[in-house]
Amino acid sequence: MYNSISVDGLNALLWTLTAVGILLSVGRFAIRYASAGRFHLDDASHLLSVLLLVGLAAAYTHGFPYSARIASIGRKEEEAPPLTDPFYRHYLQLRLVVTLLVFMVLWSVKATFLIFYRLLFDVSQTFLRLWWVAVVLTFATFWVCIGSTFTLCGSASDLYDFRKCSSAKALHDIRTTYKYWCALNVGTDLIVMALPLYMLSGLQLRPTQKAILGGVFSLGLVVPIVDILRTVESLESGTFSGVALWSSLEVTIAVIVASLPLYRVLLTPKGRNIIRSRLSGERYNDVDGSPAETQRRFCDTPASPGKRSVSTYQGDLETQDSESSKYGGGVQQVPLAQLSR
């Protein structure tokens, strides 16, 4: 199925998707600045993932011919050079660089989502406790993956020894490592995705609003799905073109997906009006949709005791603690509300 995909075809797909990721990221930054007037920490994390993606695409482009030749040697379509040939060392060095960059891209995307969700739900102490658990697990799994990269062939000193890296024991260990890399990556993705979905259940929103937000928060589901498909391809057939295809799709789709949540602003008239008013230097009145110099305070539905009410236009959330309102606290402006100031 994948044998018809050439190295040039893989490079064309990789750089096309990378360009799409860059363009959507530029749009993401423009929307954030137009709606908020400044950037936030999740923008810095996303910028890091974009820069890492470009570096990874360059490493892939340089490494694809090496991987294709290794695959050809494995199929006995080409005579293997002697093990002292520098080709093997270069191949293993590129494999290390690519593997490290893949982890850096994927985990920087996780960090972008984690920071974004922190901005959204910072008002909830329950969320903050769960958020810190997710941060610790994500941080720990990242370093587990990074550390295990250096022991794929046994000890770290054997990392560039192709004879040991291609031994039966090493190949068995590599297959096992791929499995737990997939488990750690998919597991942390699901944990990160579960945070906002859990919070949605406690928000007083119309069903359509919950469905829209649930869809936005579930965009990241495509990344673990692609990772599972890539791992299955690596373990089952192990063809160069198949593994390269799914690897290229995974990292580029991860960056693309991380760009998309802010585009929800453009899907609502209020969101578009707010951006237009900010670009024209005016303030936006939530009630009648007209420019105003009043501070924005909006709530979709009256809150019942103990629950939060949320305004979800403009691609962000304003949260009101109903119990504080009950005791005279009024509307509580939380960090994400500042994204539109």
Side-chain angles (χ1 to χ4, degrees), residues 10-312:
L10 287 169
N11 281 325
L13 175 65
L14 171 64
W15 283 104
T16 298
L17 291 175
T18 300
V20 171
I22 292 172
L23 290 175
L24 288 174
S25 298
V26 170
R28 177 195 195 277
F29 296 139
I31 292 170
R32 171 57 61 78
Y33 192 78
S35 61
R38 64 191 182 96
F39 296 112
H40 288 258
L41 188 57
D42 61 317
D43 298 306
S45 177
H46 186 72
L47 177 61
L48 175 62
S49 67
V50 173
L51 296 176
L52 288 170
L53 176 62
V54 173
L56 175 58
Y60 267 140
T61 300
H62 188 56
F64 279 161
Y66 285 84
S67 298
R69 187 180 178 191
I70 288 289
S72 179
I73 293 172
R75 294 191 301 268
K76 301 188 183 304
E77 297 174 355
E78 178 180 343
E79 184 178 352
L83 291 176
T84 55
D85 193 304
F87 163 79
Y88 293 111
R89 184 177 182 84
H90 293 160
Y91 163 73
L92 293 173
Q93 289 173 335
L94 285 168
R95 186 179 71 171
L96 174 65
V97 171
V98 165
T99 304
L100 293 175
L101 285 174
V102 166
F103 288 137
M104 290 178 186
V105 171
L106 295 178
W107 262 258
S108 64
V109 168
K110 298 179 205 288
T112 298
F113 278 113
L114 283 169
I115 297 168
F116 181 64
Y117 297 151
R118 171 68 181 261
L119 293 172
L120 287 177
F121 300 110
D122 190 53
V123 71
S124 168
Q125 291 300 314
T126 300
F127 171 80
L128 289 179
R129 286 191 289 269
L130 295 174
W131 185 85
W132 276 111
V133 171
V135 167
V136 171
L137 288 174
T138 302
F139 183 80
T141 54
F142 171 73
W143 286 109
V144 168
C145 291
I146 291 293
S148 60
T149 303
F150 293 92
T151 57
L152 278 178
C153 301
S155 66
S157 60
D158 298 330
L159 190 59
Y160 301 136
D161 188 332
F162 189 79
R163 186 191 302 276
K164 293 185 178 180
C165 288
S166 59
S167 67
K169 182 181 182 304
L171 293 176
H172 176 269
D173 291 344
I174 288 172
R175 289 173 62 87
T176 302
T177 302
Y178 284 170
K179 292 176 183 178
Y180 80 70
W181 279 352
C182 179
L184 293 177
N185 186 31
V186 171
T188 49
D189 278 341
L190 295 178
I191 290 172
V192 172
M193 285 175 49
L195 287 173
L197 296 176
Y198 166 77
M199 293 299 295
L200 272 183
S201 64
L203 298 178
Q204 287 196 332
L205 297 173
R206 292 186 292 272
T208 53
Q209 290 177 312
K210 280 194 175 184
I212 292 173
L213 280 175
V216 171
F217 294 147
S218 299
L219 286 172
L221 184 61
V222 68
V223 180
I225 290 175
V226 174
D227 187 61
I228 292 172
L229 293 173
R230 179 191 61 78
T231 303
V232 170
E233 174 62 25
S234 299
L235 297 176
E236 295 298 326
S237 64
T239 61
F240 153 69
S241 51
V243 175
L245 173 64
W246 287 109
S247 298
S248 301
L249 288 174
E250 181 179 14
V251 291
T252 52
I253 288 176
V255 172
I256 289 171
V257 166
S259 305
L260 296 180
L262 268 69
Y263 280 85
R264 196 177 68 83
V265 176
L266 304 180
L267 301 180
T268 63
K270 284 186 177 179
R272 293 191 293 270
N273 288 338
I274 287 173
I275 289 181
R276 280 196 294 268
S277 67
R278 292 200 175 279
L279 291 176
S280 63
E282 298 173 323
R283 299 296 299 271
Y284 185 78
N285 188 320
D286 293 324
V287 177
D288 59 12
S290 61
E293 291 300 325
T294 59
Q295 184 176 9
R296 181 158 57 89
R297 294 173 181 266
F298 184 85
C299 184
D300 286 314
T301 56
S304 61
K307 288 194 175 182
R308 296 173 296 281
S309 55
V310 180
S311 168
T312 57

